[in-house]
Amino acid sequence: MPFHEDELEAAESGHLRSLTAAEAEGDERAVEAALRPKTLDEVVGQARVRAQLGLVLEAARQRGRAPDHVLLSGPPGLGKTTLAMIIAAEMATPLRLTSGPAITHAGDLAAILSGMNEGDVLFVDEIHRMSRPAEEMLYMAMEDFRVDVVIGKGPGATAIPLEIPPFTLVGATTRAGLLPGPLRDRFGFTGHLEFYEPHELDLIVHRSAGLLGVELRAEGAAEIASRSRGTPRIANRLLRRVRDYAQVRADGVVTLGVAEAALDLYEVDQLGLDRLDRAVIDVLCRRFGGGPVGVSTLAVAVGEERETVEEVAEPFLVRLGFLARTPRGRIATPAAWAHLGLAPPALPTVDGTLFED
């Protein structure tokens, strides 16, 4: 039965930037929940992580014990939360969800852990943002299934040991390098999620179209997949916007022409670049001669905050090979010039003459 999401459309249609942002915000999470795979067999892509994780879970089931703690790392939108839910479903145990920023004190973590039952799965999203006191408490909880709750302050403070039933912690992080070594070492399995290939995203778009009740042609699905930046979350978001276009301005069928027209309307080009991405490389090439230029100057030139340029636009541009970060600033690569249809500037040779790059 198709999933109906009419009540969510108004919340999603506000800002075009969100179409290619890898993070999910607000009511979009409800749409994602309806499209998530429920088992490892339903997951498309990430073949190596799926095989490794399946082995870990099957071995734990055969032993009748909770699986080892699992750390999932990788860029946003690739399925870390989905895999955490699948782990709980495969083990037939409840899933408890929280996030690193929500655990600001050791007491917050103690309250969560004290309510755990044997075999439960605790999912901590953005685990690298957990507070240091809570992090230190988590070490003992993961290793010895015990925490010490401190009662009182100063010389009269007393530590009361609290036993915790064996559980499985699933941590997700987009920045594994920020995790301290002692925490990383306590995970029995670490899986790194990679960006998806276009043919994998094509399968995901077809699957989501079936769940949403969208009539989709193969060429339309391939076009959506090719502009999705290797990220399933973006592919599903673009599919919903193309569906809207097909419903309002066409006959409801997502063909190649409809997909191209819809994505052009939403300013998502053939490589998945959106308005901000193109503005960054356009300003870098046309106004600053390809750089180098500081990121703060670049942000002012495109009318955005420095953090937006640095954390939203730059990672994809670097991955495409359009932009390089150097000690002197950001520079545009020949590929960026070519994408804009411009010729790179002449560069000096060793003897001072000029040649075309």
Side-chain angles (χ1 to χ4, degrees):
M1 179 179 180
F3 175 69
H4 296 289
E5 46 177 306
D6 296 341
E7 69 275 14
L8 303 179
E9 301 297 348
E12 290 189 340
S13 60
H15 198 287
L16 293 182
R17 176 60 206 165
S18 65
L19 280 179
T20 54
E23 294 82 3
E25 297 181 358
D27 291 335
E28 186 179 11
R29 296 184 183 276
V31 183
E32 282 193 352
L35 301 179
R36 292 186 194 279
K38 302 299 188 291
T39 67
L40 276 177
D41 291 336
E42 293 180 10
V43 175
V44 175
Q46 309 297 342
R48 180 173 299 180
V49 172
R50 282 192 293 119
Q52 295 170 343
L53 188 56
L55 188 63
V56 170
L57 298 181
E58 180 58 31
R61 277 195 296 265
Q62 291 183 10
R63 290 194 301 267
R65 300 180 59 184
D68 286 346
H69 304 301
V70 175
L71 177 65
L72 300 172
S73 66
L78 300 187
K80 296 184 291 297
T81 302
T82 296
L83 286 178
M85 293 179 173
I86 287 174
I87 290 171
E90 295 274 354
M91 299 304 298
T93 58
L95 175 69
R96 299 171 183 262
L97 295 94
T98 186
S99 66
I103 304 175
T104 57
H105 306 286
D108 299 333
L109 180 62
I112 295 171
L113 293 175
S114 64
M116 300 285 289
N117 297 314
E118 185 169 354
D120 284 2
V121 176
L122 173 63
F123 175 59
V124 182
D125 196 12
E126 295 299 300
I127 193 170
H128 64 272
R129 297 175 61 188
M130 187 183 301
S131 69
R132 182 55 59 86
E135 201 174 83
E136 293 173 353
M137 175 180 282
L138 191 58
Y139 296 161
M140 186 180 297
M142 293 173 69
E143 201 161 47
D144 302 327
F145 298 109
R146 179 176 68 89
V147 295
D148 291 334
V149 180
V150 179
I151 306 297
K153 294 182 179 181
T158 304
I160 301 176
L162 175 65
E163 299 294 328
I164 304 168
F167 70 98
T168 298
L169 173 68
V170 180
T173 177
T174 55
R175 305 181 70 180
L178 296 183
L179 281 177
L183 180 57
R184 256 196 328 267
D185 294 343
R186 282 170 169 78
F187 286 98
F189 171 75
T190 299
H192 180 76
L193 276 61
E194 305 284 350
F195 286 103
Y196 287 64
E197 296 297 328
H199 72 273
E200 295 171 335
L201 291 171
D202 192 296
L203 295 173
I204 291 171
V205 170
H206 274 288
R207 178 183 180 275
S208 298
L211 294 172
L212 294 170
V214 178
E215 192 173 347
L216 179 67
R217 297 288 182 264
E219 298 82 0
E223 187 66 20
I224 294 171
S226 68
R227 303 194 192 196
S228 298
R229 304 163 77 117
T231 306
R233 176 176 290 154
I234 296 175
N236 286 329
R237 189 182 296 143
L238 294 183
L239 171 65
R240 296 197 300 275
R241 298 289 71 79
V242 172
R243 175 203 58 182
D244 293 346
Y245 184 96
Q247 176 184 328
V248 175
R249 299 191 180 180
D251 59 359
V253 181
V254 177
T255 63
L256 174 60
V258 167
E260 288 176 336
L263 295 173
D264 289 345
L265 174 65
Y266 284 109
E267 300 182 278
V268 180
D269 72 13
Q270 289 82 359
L271 294 180
L273 274 69
D274 66 2
R275 178 200 61 80
L276 177 59
D277 300 321
R278 288 192 300 276
V280 169
I281 60 173
D282 188 81
V283 164
L284 188 54
C285 293
R286 296 181 192 273
R287 197 173 302 178
F288 297 107
V293 61
V295 65
S296 297
T297 302
L298 200 56
V300 171
V302 299
E304 294 284 354
E305 296 292 330
R306 174 191 171 117
E307 291 76 13
T308 303
V309 172
E310 199 167 20
E311 298 175 11
V312 177
E314 281 192 354
F316 185 59
L317 293 174
V318 170
R319 184 157 63 91
L320 279 183
F322 282 8
L323 181 144
R325 292 168 168 168
T326 73
R328 296 179 58 200
R330 275 51 174 173
I331 61 172
T333 66
W337 288 90
H339 188 71
L340 295 175
L342 302 174
L347 299 177
T349 62
V350 176
D351 61 1
T353 60
L354 296 178
F355 73 97
E356 293 296 326
D357 185 24

